[in-house]
Amino acid sequence: MLSTPAAFSYLERAHGAGRLAHAYLITGAAGSGKAALAGQIVAMLNGGLPAATLDSLPGEAVRVVRPESKSRRIKVEQIRELESMLHQRAAGALTKVGVVADADRMGEQAENAFLKTLEEPPPGCLLLLLTAQPEQLLDTILSRCITVALRAPEGGVGVAAGEPGARLRELLTRHSAGREGRGTGVALGMARAFTDLLKEVKEGAEKDSEAEQKLEKQTYAKTTDGRWLKDREDYHKAVGASAYLSRRAALLEVLAAWFGDALRQRSGYGRLDLPGDAAATADLARSFTEREL
């Protein structure tokens, strides 16, 4: 995994040598800088300053596609509009750039349409797919893109960003401070809190998947046979399971960072993964030995 500056340096060298590929899959957790890297790439190709957000990217030669509608899916019509833009002539020497944000949210039809664009890309264009869950994309799409994996920046922005990471940090803070006793009791309390949070996360992922499946049934019930919808049930279950595993991995990363910071403070090492929680992890460090931690 690369930092955002290192990833841009790698792409800048490829561009300078005339070896820039036509499609890149930029992956990384929340806070890893996927959108920022996309803005830097557009500026490198077409001049100007890097855009602060994806919303400030679109222009004559740039199109950003993102999830829409209640289901938060990328529809096939959006991909076709992107393809139409890529086939149009750009003014001057501008490179046409298509950015697909949250690319894992493409539906089956959208992925198949996008695959055709990847297989026969128009000349003078670049495709950037941004996602935190590349495993949800078709293998045929993955194989036609060069992956640029970004790591979370120092300071824990990526590892602790958003829900449920913030909730886990609150739980750990509560169990790290104001305790009576040490050892097994505290560990069991943390374990119970973590298990309860995992259960909520799993239920949330399943509900999200069920809501998407319900919406799909309402949309396609009269235009397809029951067999296809039955197959889609298995698909949505798999998506829900994948989403849960991804969120669980993020929580485990927070947990490791939390105790890692306590160990670092115990040994006097200055760099912390979660500097915003330094007071709580310092309290933990004072209460336990390195072996106990």
Side-chain angles (χ1 to χ4, degrees), residues 205-279:
E206 290 173 347
K207 285 181 180 178
D208 289 345
S209 178
E210 288 170 1
E212 288 190 22
Q213 181 184 346
K214 183 178 180 181
L215 182 61
E216 192 172 73
K217 280 185 176 180
Q218 292 172 346
T219 304
Y220 297 109
K222 296 181 180 180
T223 58
T224 187
D225 58 33
R227 215 171 18 176
W228 183 83
L229 289 174
K230 181 63 178 177
D231 290 340
R232 295 295 288 175
E233 287 183 16
D234 295 334
Y235 166 80
H236 285 292
K237 286 179 182 178
V239 168
S242 176
Y244 165 65
L245 290 175
S246 177
R247 296 171 193 177
R248 185 183 69 176
L251 289 175
L252 288 169
E253 196 176 351
V254 173
L255 200 62
W258 189 272
F259 284 96
D261 279 2
L263 282 166
R264 293 182 188 100
Q265 296 201 67
R266 181 80 188 181
S267 60
Y269 183 64
R271 182 199 172 281
L272 302 178
D273 285 335
L274 303 170
D277 300 292

Side-chain angles (χ1 to χ4, degrees), residues 151-168:
R151 66 168 178 258
E154 291 188 4
V157 176
V159 70
E163 287 283 357
R167 286 193 52 205
L168 176 57

Side-chain angles (χ1 to χ4, degrees), residues 126-167:
L126 176 69
L127 295 166
L128 301 174
L129 286 77
L130 317 182
T131 178
Q133 300 185 59
E135 68 278 1
Q136 292 198 28
L137 290 168
L138 292 173
D139 289 340
T140 44
I141 287 180
L142 297 176
S143 66
R144 286 169 172 78
C145 300
I146 292 181
T147 299
V148 179
L150 302 180
R151 66 168 178 258
E154 291 188 4
V157 176
V159 70
E163 287 283 357
R167 286 193 52 205

